[in-house]
Amino acid sequence: MRRWYGQFLGFIAGWLLLRHPVGALIGWLVGYWFDHDAFTRRPSPRPPPAGPPGDADVDWAYRVLGVREDASDAQIDRAYRRLISQYHPDRVAGAAPELRKIAEQKSREINAAYDRIQTLRRKT
């Protein structure tokens, strides 16, 4: 949605602040950027998600939890608890539906990674 009042208010504010027509031009440009959402933060493009846990990529689970392969069980448990408390869907129950969906996907990925690590460690 395009706004119209940013250019107008920027023009008036620029003229009044600088008391010169150049100030009005600067204010109009700032208002134009405001009206066209140039000051809003755009989300950075995300890298493609890592492969599912059934892949041959063993590092996947460790990357999701943010630990190295030689991490102790206690470090893995701490990383899991920290991430799951951050991305648990119940923590964002009142948030926007998009955020809830992202939290559900991320918590599923965290749980799958934790289960994969536990399975790998039981085998060895």
Side-chain angles (χ1 to χ4, degrees):
M1 183 171 111
R2 300 279 187 228
R3 294 180 292 269
W4 59 271
Y5 51 86
Q7 295 174 26
F8 176 71
L9 294 176
F11 180 84
I12 299 296
W15 188 288
L16 292 176
L17 286 173
L18 297 179
R19 302 204 186 275
H20 195 274
V22 174
L25 177 65
I26 293 170
W28 179 81
L29 287 173
V30 170
Y32 179 84
W33 291 335
F34 171 76
D35 286 345
H36 290 71
D37 294 325
F39 294 119
T40 57
R41 237 184 205 183
R42 305 266 191 300
S44 60
R46 289 187 166 196
D55 279 358
D57 186 16
V58 177
D59 294 335
W60 171 81
Y62 292 103
R63 278 187 281 134
V64 168
L65 292 182
V67 295
R68 296 188 331 208
E69 287 188 43
D70 60 348
S72 68
D73 290 338
Q75 289 172 329
I76 291 172
D77 287 341
R78 274 196 305 266
Y80 169 74
R81 287 193 182 112
R82 179 181 49 83
L83 287 172
I84 204 67
S85 68
Q86 183 179 355
Y87 290 105
H88 197 277
D90 290 344
R91 295 234 12 198
V92 292
E98 298 87 22
L99 290 177
R100 285 194 307 249
K101 185 177 179 182
I102 292 170
E104 288 171 5
Q105 290 173 348
K106 187 70 175 173
S107 65
R108 271 191 235 113
E109 185 180 21
I110 292 166
N111 282 327
Y114 184 70
D115 291 341
R116 176 78 169 151
I117 290 174
Q118 294 302 323
T119 303
L120 288 172
R121 292 203 172 204
R122 271 190 238 124
K123 286 183 181 179
T124 57

